[in-house]
Amino acid sequence: MIRFESRPSPSALMGLLSPVIALALTVAIGGGIFYALGKDPGRALAVFLVDPFDGPRALAELALKATPLVLCSLGLALCFRSNIWNIGAEGQFLLGGITAGGVALLATNAGTTVSPWAFLPVALLAGALGGAAWAAIVALLRDRFHANEILVSLMLVYVANLFLSWLVFGPWKDPHGFNFPQTVQFAAATEIPRLFRGMRVNAGFPLSLVAAVAMWLFMFRTYRGMQLQVGGPAPLAARYAGFSSRAAIWTTLLVSGGLAGVAGALEVTGPMGQLTPHVSMGYGFTAIIVAFVGRLHPLGCILSSLLLSTFLIGGELAQSRVGLPSALAGVFQGVLLLSLLACDALVHWRPRLRRSP
Amino acid sequence: MNGLDLLVAATLSAGTPLAIAGLGLLVNERVGVINLGAEGLMLVSAVSGFAVALHTGSEWLGFGAGALAGAALSLVLGWLVIWLNTNQYATGLAVSLFGSGLSAFAGIPLVGRQLQTGSRHGVPLLADLPFVGPALFRQHPMVYLAIALAGAMALVYYRTRLGLVVRAVGESPVSAHALGYPVRRIRLAAVVLGGALCGVAGAYLSVVYTPLWVEGMVAGRGWIALALTVFATWRPARVLLGAYLFGGVTMLQLHLQAGGVQLPAQFMAMLPYLSTVVVLVLISRNPLWIRLNMPASLGKPFVPGA
């Protein structure tokens, strides 16, 4: 019989090991699922976890998928550390995509000829403003009326989805698009510049890495960042020290909304090149898992973004190569987060074998 | 025919899954456990309920499967948050994300299948009354069961010893533990029961309400049910009231459209979500009032002897 004993202090080793153990558990459970579905677990796992790294083009796709995850998860990590439960990054992502898409549409209709590098800051600014504005609604209602930010931010995801759907079915629909719900293809000048010829990965990826370093500096090297994080685990201490919880609500939500908005802008003016009802593959929700698997640490977020984008691409490959539904990626994500939470118990508790009495 | 009787009937039907899920979440929260996994629980049980109802032809077996699926998934949640003391918010979100992934995956072969639902029989005699007959007495039995459930829960919570113990566990687990009650077991039992109710609500959606399976078909009702518990200030009868209010809003958008109101369909479809936000704002405006009504240990882990 195993019993858990409380550790005198949290184990730093286990803090680092627990994501690794959780990943091993997820792979084991995934193998079991493949076996149950009558597929060779070894081959299926290889398609899922190894093939996404096969060659430079595959790595470029991995980086492309990881970009929105890094950006969204950075903001969420800041929120969660400050005990603000923003789980509406998906909606903020969509709004960023809509505002950046709107600007790209304007530029396209005006027949712009500026260079893509000149348009890049415009698109990013538009996205950041859109995402931040959407998150500001949550901050306002939480700050002014104490409305629960979990529920409000989540309801706004559905609203953002419907708003996007109205735009592409209605006023922004391409008149020559054979009645498909989509905008016109944006002008080439509005496309996020690509890093390498023939690959889709673009300037967004290095940008997301810069954002991670900036977030690390902010969290651990500034007084303001420290202030925010005290409010999470010790609200009373924070109040005693004179740190304002109102400021924490606004700062974390605006920063995370802005980052999610930038992610949306990069997606819409990058690989998409137009607005459709399917701008997001659920990046805002996946980023919640990324943030936790990355230990709410900016550099951890980069690693776990790469891991989770492996799952996303692995899911697509599993569909085309071994005939497994790509929805499996979602199952993998959920199993990973649940195992991680279970493994985190090892950080505070020590398993001890005990002879039964 | 002015359609008002149809509106009332449709409101009751649309409010029922919200009522059942809201009551389930109330059971959870009354013992101090917040279940953000509700949306995922409902999705998984909607898939299981639909699959079982499709293969057996019995909607009651479908409800049973939904309840089992909801109970099983909430057992995982309960074990994590009650025994391993994981963060209730993070764990609930994990269950939601896992549930939506699993249901999408498991539901693939069910997409496009249609359930043959039997003809509806009303309550004898009463169903033939003018106006109130069609509006109130030609509903699926689950609609009446939801109302009965709210009544039964109010009785148990406020008139029995069991209710007193369960409320004590949610208000002050330390005192309940000191009195010798097995706090963690009571919590787990409540979480599983609440999960089973969310499961019945999910199965109602896919077996009775639509009746078919579409990915993501719960469409935020799990989250709205969570908002309902706040709206109801954790009282069963008010959950019922709130659920029908939201059911009414959902139905109103369809009726406004049919009535020729010139507003794009997408804006109409936003109404339930926007009204949830508005209701939350109105209710939460007074933080003291919420704090007085909320189970005091909500969201906080309890370690016996610590």
Short mmCIF file of all heavy atoms in Angstrom, two decimals, chain A residues 37 85 87 141 145-146 150-151 154-155 158-159 162-163 165-166 285 289 292 325 327-328 331 334-335 337-338 341-342 349, chain B residues 39 80 85-87 89-91 93-94 97-98 101 105 108 220 223 227 264 266-267 269-270 273 277 280-281 284-285 287:
data_model
loop_
_atom_site.label_atom_id
_atom_site.label_comp_id
_atom_site.label_asym_id
_atom_site.label_seq_id
_atom_site.Cartn_x
_atom_site.Cartn_y
_atom_site.Cartn_z
N LEU A 37 -7.55 0.41 -30.41
CA LEU A 37 -8.16 0.71 -31.70
C LEU A 37 -7.66 -0.23 -32.79
O LEU A 37 -8.01 -0.08 -33.95
CB LEU A 37 -7.86 2.16 -32.11
CG LEU A 37 -8.53 3.23 -31.25
CD1 LEU A 37 -7.98 4.60 -31.60
CD2 LEU A 37 -10.03 3.20 -31.46
N TRP A 85 -8.06 34.10 -13.50
CA TRP A 85 -8.34 32.91 -14.31
C TRP A 85 -8.95 33.29 -15.64
O TRP A 85 -10.13 33.05 -15.89
CB TRP A 85 -9.19 31.92 -13.52
CG TRP A 85 -8.38 31.36 -12.41
CD1 TRP A 85 -8.21 31.90 -11.17
CD2 TRP A 85 -7.55 30.21 -12.46
NE1 TRP A 85 -7.33 31.14 -10.45
CE2 TRP A 85 -6.91 30.10 -11.22
CE3 TRP A 85 -7.28 29.25 -13.44
CZ2 TRP A 85 -6.01 29.07 -10.92
CZ3 TRP A 85 -6.41 28.24 -13.15
CH2 TRP A 85 -5.78 28.15 -11.90
N ILE A 87 -9.67 32.39 -19.02
CA ILE A 87 -9.62 31.22 -19.88
C ILE A 87 -10.27 31.53 -21.21
O ILE A 87 -10.67 30.65 -21.94
CB ILE A 87 -10.24 29.98 -19.23
CG1 ILE A 87 -11.62 30.27 -18.74
CG2 ILE A 87 -9.39 29.48 -18.11
CD1 ILE A 87 -12.28 29.03 -18.20
N LEU A 141 -15.51 44.25 -16.13
CA LEU A 141 -16.62 43.63 -15.40
C LEU A 141 -16.13 43.01 -14.09
O LEU A 141 -16.85 43.01 -13.09
CB LEU A 141 -17.32 42.59 -16.27
CG LEU A 141 -17.95 43.14 -17.55
CD1 LEU A 141 -18.71 42.06 -18.29
CD2 LEU A 141 -18.89 44.31 -17.24
N PHE A 145 -17.58 45.25 -11.26
CA PHE A 145 -18.78 44.56 -10.76
C PHE A 145 -18.49 43.21 -10.11
O PHE A 145 -19.41 42.47 -9.79
CB PHE A 145 -19.78 44.35 -11.90
CG PHE A 145 -20.21 45.61 -12.57
CD1 PHE A 145 -19.73 45.94 -13.83
CD2 PHE A 145 -21.10 46.49 -11.96
CE1 PHE A 145 -20.12 47.10 -14.46
CE2 PHE A 145 -21.49 47.65 -12.58
CZ PHE A 145 -21.00 47.97 -13.84
N HIS A 146 -17.19 42.85 -9.97
CA HIS A 146 -16.80 41.60 -9.33
C HIS A 146 -17.33 40.38 -10.07
O HIS A 146 -17.51 39.32 -9.47
CB HIS A 146 -17.26 41.53 -7.87
CG HIS A 146 -17.00 42.78 -7.12
ND1 HIS A 146 -15.76 43.08 -6.60
CD2 HIS A 146 -17.79 43.84 -6.84
CE1 HIS A 146 -15.83 44.26 -6.02
NE2 HIS A 146 -17.03 44.76 -6.15
N ILE A 150 -13.69 33.87 -15.00
CA ILE A 150 -13.70 32.60 -15.73
C ILE A 150 -14.90 32.54 -16.66
O ILE A 150 -14.78 32.30 -17.86
CB ILE A 150 -13.78 31.40 -14.75
CG1 ILE A 150 -12.59 31.40 -13.82
CG2 ILE A 150 -13.91 30.10 -15.49
CD1 ILE A 150 -12.62 30.27 -12.81
N LEU A 151 -16.06 32.82 -16.07
CA LEU A 151 -17.29 32.68 -16.84
C LEU A 151 -17.42 33.78 -17.88
O LEU A 151 -17.79 33.53 -19.02
CB LEU A 151 -18.50 32.68 -15.89
CG LEU A 151 -18.50 31.47 -14.96
CD1 LEU A 151 -19.53 31.64 -13.85
CD2 LEU A 151 -18.80 30.19 -15.73
N LEU A 154 -15.05 33.21 -20.78
CA LEU A 154 -15.49 32.09 -21.59
C LEU A 154 -16.72 32.39 -22.44
O LEU A 154 -16.81 32.00 -23.60
CB LEU A 154 -15.81 30.91 -20.68
CG LEU A 154 -15.42 29.71 -21.48
CD1 LEU A 154 -14.18 29.13 -20.93
CD2 LEU A 154 -16.51 28.78 -21.62
N MET A 155 -17.68 33.12 -21.87
CA MET A 155 -18.86 33.51 -22.64
C MET A 155 -18.44 34.36 -23.84
O MET A 155 -19.01 34.26 -24.93
CB MET A 155 -19.82 34.32 -21.76
CG MET A 155 -20.50 33.52 -20.68
SD MET A 155 -21.57 32.25 -21.36
CE MET A 155 -20.90 30.79 -20.68
N TYR A 158 -17.61 32.50 -27.09
CA TYR A 158 -18.74 32.17 -27.95
C TYR A 158 -19.19 33.40 -28.73
O TYR A 158 -19.51 33.32 -29.92
CB TYR A 158 -19.89 31.60 -27.12
CG TYR A 158 -19.55 30.27 -26.51
CD1 TYR A 158 -19.08 30.16 -25.21
CD2 TYR A 158 -19.67 29.09 -27.24
CE1 TYR A 158 -18.74 28.93 -24.66
CE2 TYR A 158 -19.33 27.87 -26.71
CZ TYR A 158 -18.87 27.79 -25.42
OH TYR A 158 -18.53 26.59 -24.89
N VAL A 159 -19.20 34.56 -28.04
CA VAL A 159 -19.61 35.79 -28.71
C VAL A 159 -18.64 36.12 -29.85
O VAL A 159 -19.06 36.46 -30.96
CB VAL A 159 -19.69 36.95 -27.70
CG1 VAL A 159 -20.01 38.25 -28.40
CG2 VAL A 159 -20.75 36.65 -26.64
N LEU A 162 -19.23 33.93 -32.85
CA LEU A 162 -20.42 34.31 -33.60
C LEU A 162 -20.19 35.61 -34.37
O LEU A 162 -20.66 35.78 -35.48
CB LEU A 162 -21.61 34.45 -32.65
CG LEU A 162 -22.13 33.11 -32.12
CD1 LEU A 162 -23.00 33.30 -30.89
CD2 LEU A 162 -22.92 32.39 -33.19
N PHE A 163 -19.42 36.52 -33.75
CA PHE A 163 -19.12 37.79 -34.40
C PHE A 163 -18.31 37.55 -35.68
O PHE A 163 -18.61 38.08 -36.75
CB PHE A 163 -18.35 38.69 -33.43
CG PHE A 163 -18.05 40.05 -33.96
CD1 PHE A 163 -19.06 40.88 -34.42
CD2 PHE A 163 -16.74 40.52 -34.01
CE1 PHE A 163 -18.78 42.15 -34.92
CE2 PHE A 163 -16.45 41.77 -34.50
CZ PHE A 163 -17.47 42.59 -34.96
N SER A 165 -18.22 34.81 -37.35
CA SER A 165 -19.09 34.11 -38.29
C SER A 165 -19.99 35.12 -39.02
O SER A 165 -20.18 35.04 -40.24
CB SER A 165 -19.90 33.08 -37.52
OG SER A 165 -21.06 32.75 -38.18
N TRP A 166 -20.51 36.11 -38.28
CA TRP A 166 -21.35 37.14 -38.92
C TRP A 166 -20.54 37.90 -39.97
O TRP A 166 -21.02 38.14 -41.09
CB TRP A 166 -21.88 38.11 -37.86
CG TRP A 166 -22.57 39.29 -38.45
CD1 TRP A 166 -23.76 39.30 -39.14
CD2 TRP A 166 -22.12 40.65 -38.41
NE1 TRP A 166 -24.07 40.57 -39.53
CE2 TRP A 166 -23.08 41.42 -39.10
CE3 TRP A 166 -21.01 41.28 -37.86
CZ2 TRP A 166 -22.95 42.81 -39.26
CZ3 TRP A 166 -20.90 42.66 -38.01
CH2 TRP A 166 -21.85 43.40 -38.70
N PHE A 285 -7.42 27.53 -26.18
CA PHE A 285 -7.68 26.53 -25.15
C PHE A 285 -6.45 25.64 -24.96
O PHE A 285 -6.08 25.31 -23.84
CB PHE A 285 -8.89 25.67 -25.52
CG PHE A 285 -10.17 26.44 -25.45
CD1 PHE A 285 -10.96 26.62 -26.58
CD2 PHE A 285 -10.58 27.02 -24.27
CE1 PHE A 285 -12.13 27.35 -26.51
CE2 PHE A 285 -11.75 27.74 -24.19
CZ PHE A 285 -12.53 27.91 -25.33
N ILE A 289 -3.27 24.42 -21.51
CA ILE A 289 -2.46 23.23 -21.21
C ILE A 289 -0.99 23.59 -21.30
O ILE A 289 -0.19 23.23 -20.44
CB ILE A 289 -2.83 22.09 -22.17
CG1 ILE A 289 -4.31 21.79 -22.06
CG2 ILE A 289 -1.98 20.86 -21.89
CD1 ILE A 289 -4.78 20.65 -22.90
N PHE A 292 0.32 25.38 -18.21
CA PHE A 292 0.53 24.53 -17.03
C PHE A 292 1.68 23.57 -17.23
O PHE A 292 2.50 23.38 -16.33
CB PHE A 292 -0.75 23.75 -16.68
CG PHE A 292 -1.75 24.59 -15.97
CD1 PHE A 292 -2.95 24.93 -16.57
CD2 PHE A 292 -1.50 25.07 -14.70
CE1 PHE A 292 -3.87 25.73 -15.93
CE2 PHE A 292 -2.42 25.86 -14.04
CZ PHE A 292 -3.60 26.19 -14.66
N PRO A 325 -8.41 9.19 -36.40
CA PRO A 325 -9.00 10.53 -36.42
C PRO A 325 -8.08 11.56 -35.76
O PRO A 325 -7.47 11.28 -34.73
CB PRO A 325 -10.31 10.38 -35.66
CG PRO A 325 -10.22 9.09 -34.95
CD PRO A 325 -9.24 8.23 -35.66
N ALA A 327 -8.88 13.99 -34.12
CA ALA A 327 -9.41 14.39 -32.82
C ALA A 327 -8.64 13.76 -31.67
O ALA A 327 -8.73 14.21 -30.53
CB ALA A 327 -10.89 14.01 -32.72
N LEU A 328 -7.85 12.72 -31.98
CA LEU A 328 -7.04 12.10 -30.95
C LEU A 328 -6.10 13.10 -30.29
O LEU A 328 -5.75 12.97 -29.12
CB LEU A 328 -6.20 10.97 -31.57
CG LEU A 328 -6.67 9.56 -31.32
CD1 LEU A 328 -5.71 8.59 -31.95
CD2 LEU A 328 -6.79 9.28 -29.83
N VAL A 331 -7.55 14.37 -27.24
CA VAL A 331 -7.52 13.40 -26.14
C VAL A 331 -6.13 13.42 -25.49
O VAL A 331 -6.00 13.46 -24.27
CB VAL A 331 -7.85 11.99 -26.65
CG1 VAL A 331 -7.83 11.00 -25.51
CG2 VAL A 331 -9.20 11.98 -27.33
N GLY A 334 -5.67 16.46 -23.22
CA GLY A 334 -6.37 16.33 -21.95
C GLY A 334 -5.68 15.34 -21.02
O GLY A 334 -5.50 15.62 -19.83
N VAL A 335 -5.26 14.19 -21.58
CA VAL A 335 -4.57 13.19 -20.75
C VAL A 335 -3.29 13.78 -20.18
O VAL A 335 -2.97 13.60 -19.01
CB VAL A 335 -4.27 11.92 -21.58
CG1 VAL A 335 -3.37 10.98 -20.80
CG2 VAL A 335 -5.55 11.22 -21.96
N LEU A 337 -2.53 16.93 -19.49
CA LEU A 337 -2.76 17.89 -18.41
C LEU A 337 -3.23 17.18 -17.14
O LEU A 337 -2.78 17.50 -16.04
CB LEU A 337 -3.77 18.95 -18.85
CG LEU A 337 -4.03 20.07 -17.84
CD1 LEU A 337 -2.74 20.67 -17.33
CD2 LEU A 337 -4.89 21.15 -18.45
N LEU A 338 -4.13 16.20 -17.30
CA LEU A 338 -4.60 15.48 -16.11
C LEU A 338 -3.45 14.73 -15.44
O LEU A 338 -3.32 14.75 -14.22
CB LEU A 338 -5.72 14.50 -16.50
CG LEU A 338 -7.09 15.14 -16.69
CD1 LEU A 338 -8.08 14.13 -17.24
CD2 LEU A 338 -7.63 15.71 -15.37
N LEU A 341 -1.25 17.18 -13.54
CA LEU A 341 -1.80 17.61 -12.27
C LEU A 341 -1.64 16.53 -11.22
O LEU A 341 -1.34 16.80 -10.05
CB LEU A 341 -3.27 17.99 -12.43
CG LEU A 341 -3.48 19.27 -13.26
CD1 LEU A 341 -4.93 19.39 -13.71
CD2 LEU A 341 -3.07 20.49 -12.47
N ALA A 342 -1.84 15.26 -11.64
CA ALA A 342 -1.68 14.16 -10.70
C ALA A 342 -0.22 14.07 -10.26
O ALA A 342 0.08 13.91 -9.08
CB ALA A 342 -2.14 12.86 -11.34
N TRP A 349 4.13 15.98 -1.93
CA TRP A 349 3.93 14.76 -1.15
C TRP A 349 4.95 13.72 -1.57
O TRP A 349 5.33 13.63 -2.73
CB TRP A 349 2.52 14.18 -1.38
CG TRP A 349 1.45 15.19 -1.14
CD1 TRP A 349 1.01 16.13 -2.02
CD2 TRP A 349 0.71 15.40 0.05
NE1 TRP A 349 0.04 16.90 -1.44
CE2 TRP A 349 -0.17 16.48 -0.17
CE3 TRP A 349 0.69 14.76 1.30
CZ2 TRP A 349 -1.04 16.94 0.80
CZ3 TRP A 349 -0.19 15.21 2.26
CH2 TRP A 349 -1.03 16.30 2.01
N GLU B 39 -18.60 21.41 -18.66
CA GLU B 39 -18.78 21.37 -20.12
C GLU B 39 -18.26 20.05 -20.69
O GLU B 39 -18.92 19.41 -21.52
CB GLU B 39 -18.05 22.56 -20.75
CG GLU B 39 -18.17 22.67 -22.25
CD GLU B 39 -19.45 23.36 -22.69
OE1 GLU B 39 -20.21 23.83 -21.82
OE2 GLU B 39 -19.68 23.41 -23.90
N LEU B 80 -8.54 13.65 -7.86
CA LEU B 80 -7.43 14.59 -8.00
C LEU B 80 -7.56 15.75 -7.02
O LEU B 80 -6.60 16.11 -6.34
CB LEU B 80 -7.36 15.13 -9.43
CG LEU B 80 -6.76 14.19 -10.48
CD1 LEU B 80 -6.98 14.73 -11.88
CD2 LEU B 80 -5.28 14.00 -10.23
N ASN B 85 -5.24 17.01 -3.71
CA ASN B 85 -5.28 18.45 -3.46
C ASN B 85 -4.78 19.28 -4.65
O ASN B 85 -4.11 20.29 -4.48
CB ASN B 85 -4.46 18.82 -2.23
CG ASN B 85 -5.02 18.19 -1.00
OD1 ASN B 85 -6.22 18.27 -0.76
ND2 ASN B 85 -4.17 17.51 -0.24
N THR B 86 -5.09 18.83 -5.86
CA THR B 86 -4.69 19.64 -7.01
C THR B 86 -5.59 20.87 -7.07
O THR B 86 -6.68 20.90 -6.47
CB THR B 86 -4.85 18.86 -8.32
OG1 THR B 86 -6.22 18.51 -8.47
CG2 THR B 86 -4.01 17.61 -8.31
N ASN B 87 -5.12 21.88 -7.77
CA ASN B 87 -5.88 23.12 -7.92
C ASN B 87 -7.22 22.82 -8.61
O ASN B 87 -7.27 22.21 -9.67
CB ASN B 87 -5.06 24.09 -8.76
CG ASN B 87 -5.74 25.42 -8.94
OD1 ASN B 87 -6.89 25.49 -9.38
ND2 ASN B 87 -5.05 26.48 -8.60
N TYR B 89 -9.39 24.77 -10.04
CA TYR B 89 -9.62 25.45 -11.32
C TYR B 89 -8.89 24.71 -12.43
O TYR B 89 -9.46 24.38 -13.48
CB TYR B 89 -9.15 26.90 -11.27
CG TYR B 89 -9.92 27.74 -10.30
CD1 TYR B 89 -9.36 28.20 -9.13
CD2 TYR B 89 -11.24 28.08 -10.57
CE1 TYR B 89 -10.07 28.97 -8.23
CE2 TYR B 89 -11.97 28.85 -9.69
CZ TYR B 89 -11.38 29.29 -8.52
OH TYR B 89 -12.10 30.04 -7.64
N ALA B 90 -7.59 24.46 -12.20
CA ALA B 90 -6.78 23.82 -13.24
C ALA B 90 -7.33 22.43 -13.57
O ALA B 90 -7.45 22.05 -14.73
CB ALA B 90 -5.33 23.72 -12.79
N THR B 91 -7.70 21.67 -12.52
CA THR B 91 -8.17 20.31 -12.75
C THR B 91 -9.50 20.32 -13.51
O THR B 91 -9.70 19.52 -14.43
CB THR B 91 -8.34 19.58 -11.42
OG1 THR B 91 -7.18 19.82 -10.63
CG2 THR B 91 -8.50 18.10 -11.63
N LEU B 93 -10.56 22.62 -15.58
CA LEU B 93 -10.27 22.96 -16.97
C LEU B 93 -9.72 21.76 -17.72
O LEU B 93 -10.08 21.51 -18.86
CB LEU B 93 -9.23 24.09 -17.03
CG LEU B 93 -9.73 25.47 -16.64
CD1 LEU B 93 -8.57 26.46 -16.62
CD2 LEU B 93 -10.77 25.92 -17.65
N ALA B 94 -8.84 21.00 -17.04
CA ALA B 94 -8.27 19.81 -17.68
C ALA B 94 -9.38 18.84 -18.05
O ALA B 94 -9.38 18.28 -19.15
CB ALA B 94 -7.26 19.15 -16.75
N LEU B 97 -11.23 20.15 -21.11
CA LEU B 97 -10.48 20.01 -22.35
C LEU B 97 -10.42 18.53 -22.75
O LEU B 97 -10.61 18.18 -23.92
CB LEU B 97 -9.07 20.57 -22.18
CG LEU B 97 -9.01 22.09 -21.99
CD1 LEU B 97 -7.65 22.53 -21.52
CD2 LEU B 97 -9.37 22.80 -23.29
N PHE B 98 -10.19 17.66 -21.76
CA PHE B 98 -10.15 16.23 -22.04
C PHE B 98 -11.51 15.76 -22.55
O PHE B 98 -11.60 15.03 -23.54
CB PHE B 98 -9.78 15.47 -20.75
CG PHE B 98 -9.88 13.98 -20.88
CD1 PHE B 98 -8.97 13.28 -21.65
CD2 PHE B 98 -10.88 13.29 -20.23
CE1 PHE B 98 -9.07 11.90 -21.77
CE2 PHE B 98 -10.98 11.91 -20.34
CZ PHE B 98 -10.07 11.22 -21.12
N GLY B 101 -12.11 16.82 -26.13
CA GLY B 101 -11.31 16.01 -27.04
C GLY B 101 -11.87 14.61 -27.18
O GLY B 101 -12.06 14.11 -28.29
N PHE B 105 -13.60 12.74 -30.46
CA PHE B 105 -12.98 11.52 -30.97
C PHE B 105 -13.98 10.37 -30.99
O PHE B 105 -14.15 9.68 -32.00
CB PHE B 105 -11.77 11.19 -30.11
CG PHE B 105 -11.18 9.85 -30.38
CD1 PHE B 105 -10.58 9.59 -31.60
CD2 PHE B 105 -11.20 8.88 -29.41
CE1 PHE B 105 -10.04 8.36 -31.86
CE2 PHE B 105 -10.65 7.64 -29.67
CZ PHE B 105 -10.07 7.37 -30.89
N ILE B 108 -17.13 10.45 -33.64
CA ILE B 108 -16.99 10.47 -35.10
C ILE B 108 -17.96 9.51 -35.81
O ILE B 108 -18.65 9.91 -36.74
CB ILE B 108 -15.52 10.19 -35.50
CG1 ILE B 108 -14.66 11.39 -35.10
CG2 ILE B 108 -15.39 9.93 -37.00
CD1 ILE B 108 -13.19 11.15 -35.18
N GLY B 220 -21.46 25.49 -24.56
CA GLY B 220 -21.33 26.42 -23.44
C GLY B 220 -22.38 26.24 -22.36
O GLY B 220 -22.37 26.97 -21.38
N TRP B 223 -20.93 25.78 -18.92
CA TRP B 223 -20.46 27.02 -18.29
C TRP B 223 -21.63 27.87 -17.83
O TRP B 223 -21.58 28.50 -16.78
CB TRP B 223 -19.59 27.80 -19.27
CG TRP B 223 -18.40 27.02 -19.73
CD1 TRP B 223 -18.24 26.40 -20.93
CD2 TRP B 223 -17.21 26.73 -18.97
NE1 TRP B 223 -17.02 25.76 -20.97
CE2 TRP B 223 -16.38 25.95 -19.80
CE3 TRP B 223 -16.79 27.06 -17.69
CZ2 TRP B 223 -15.13 25.49 -19.37
CZ3 TRP B 223 -15.55 26.60 -17.27
CH2 TRP B 223 -14.74 25.83 -18.11
N ALA B 227 -22.61 29.35 -14.13
CA ALA B 227 -23.06 30.70 -13.82
C ALA B 227 -24.38 30.66 -13.06
O ALA B 227 -24.66 31.50 -12.20
CB ALA B 227 -23.20 31.52 -15.10
N PRO B 264 -29.18 40.03 -37.64
CA PRO B 264 -28.54 38.82 -38.15
C PRO B 264 -28.62 37.67 -37.16
O PRO B 264 -28.59 37.87 -35.94
CB PRO B 264 -27.09 39.26 -38.37
CG PRO B 264 -27.13 40.73 -38.48
CD PRO B 264 -28.29 41.18 -37.65
N GLN B 266 -26.55 35.55 -36.20
CA GLN B 266 -25.43 35.39 -35.28
C GLN B 266 -25.61 36.26 -34.04
O GLN B 266 -25.25 35.86 -32.94
CB GLN B 266 -24.11 35.75 -35.96
CG GLN B 266 -23.63 34.71 -36.96
CD GLN B 266 -24.10 35.02 -38.37
OE1 GLN B 266 -24.92 35.91 -38.57
NE2 GLN B 266 -23.60 34.28 -39.34
N PHE B 267 -26.18 37.45 -34.23
CA PHE B 267 -26.37 38.32 -33.07
C PHE B 267 -27.44 37.76 -32.16
O PHE B 267 -27.37 37.86 -30.94
CB PHE B 267 -26.70 39.74 -33.52
CG PHE B 267 -25.50 40.48 -34.04
CD1 PHE B 267 -25.24 40.53 -35.39
CD2 PHE B 267 -24.61 41.08 -33.16
CE1 PHE B 267 -24.11 41.18 -35.88
CE2 PHE B 267 -23.49 41.73 -33.63
CZ PHE B 267 -23.23 41.77 -34.99
N ALA B 269 -27.98 34.61 -31.80
CA ALA B 269 -27.38 33.46 -31.13
C ALA B 269 -26.47 33.88 -29.99
O ALA B 269 -26.17 33.09 -29.11
CB ALA B 269 -26.60 32.61 -32.14
N MET B 270 -26.03 35.15 -30.01
CA MET B 270 -25.19 35.64 -28.91
C MET B 270 -26.00 35.85 -27.63
O MET B 270 -25.42 35.93 -26.55
CB MET B 270 -24.56 36.99 -29.29
CG MET B 270 -23.43 36.91 -30.28
SD MET B 270 -22.90 38.60 -30.65
CE MET B 270 -21.89 38.31 -32.10
N TYR B 273 -25.37 33.93 -24.31
CA TYR B 273 -24.05 34.19 -23.72
C TYR B 273 -23.99 35.59 -23.14
O TYR B 273 -23.50 35.80 -22.03
CB TYR B 273 -22.96 33.98 -24.78
CG TYR B 273 -23.08 32.64 -25.45
CD1 TYR B 273 -23.45 32.53 -26.79
CD2 TYR B 273 -22.88 31.47 -24.73
CE1 TYR B 273 -23.58 31.29 -27.40
CE2 TYR B 273 -23.01 30.23 -25.32
CZ TYR B 273 -23.36 30.15 -26.66
OH TYR B 273 -23.51 28.92 -27.24
N VAL B 277 -23.56 36.97 -19.14
CA VAL B 277 -22.65 37.99 -18.65
C VAL B 277 -23.42 39.05 -17.88
O VAL B 277 -23.05 39.45 -16.77
CB VAL B 277 -21.86 38.62 -19.82
CG1 VAL B 277 -21.07 39.82 -19.35
CG2 VAL B 277 -20.93 37.59 -20.45
N LEU B 280 -24.54 37.74 -14.54
CA LEU B 280 -23.41 37.64 -13.62
C LEU B 280 -23.06 39.00 -13.04
O LEU B 280 -22.79 39.14 -11.85
CB LEU B 280 -22.19 37.07 -14.34
CG LEU B 280 -22.05 35.56 -14.38
CD1 LEU B 280 -20.90 35.18 -15.27
CD2 LEU B 280 -21.85 35.02 -12.98
N VAL B 281 -23.06 40.01 -13.92
CA VAL B 281 -22.73 41.36 -13.47
C VAL B 281 -23.74 41.83 -12.44
O VAL B 281 -23.38 42.34 -11.37
CB VAL B 281 -22.66 42.31 -14.67
CG1 VAL B 281 -22.70 43.76 -14.22
CG2 VAL B 281 -21.41 42.04 -15.49
N SER B 284 -23.29 39.79 -9.16
CA SER B 284 -22.02 39.92 -8.45
C SER B 284 -21.75 41.33 -7.97
O SER B 284 -20.78 41.57 -7.26
CB SER B 284 -20.86 39.48 -9.35
OG SER B 284 -21.18 38.33 -10.05
N ARG B 285 -22.58 42.29 -8.41
CA ARG B 285 -22.34 43.69 -8.08
C ARG B 285 -22.06 43.89 -6.60
O ARG B 285 -21.22 44.66 -6.19
CB ARG B 285 -23.59 44.50 -8.46
CG ARG B 285 -23.33 45.63 -9.37
CD ARG B 285 -24.64 46.25 -9.76
NE ARG B 285 -25.75 45.54 -9.10
CZ ARG B 285 -27.00 45.97 -9.10
NH1 ARG B 285 -27.29 47.08 -9.70
NH2 ARG B 285 -27.95 45.29 -8.50
N PRO B 287 -20.49 42.30 -3.65
CA PRO B 287 -19.63 41.16 -3.29
C PRO B 287 -19.97 40.59 -1.92
O PRO B 287 -19.81 39.40 -1.67
CB PRO B 287 -18.22 41.77 -3.31
CG PRO B 287 -18.40 43.24 -3.22
CD PRO B 287 -19.75 43.55 -3.80
#
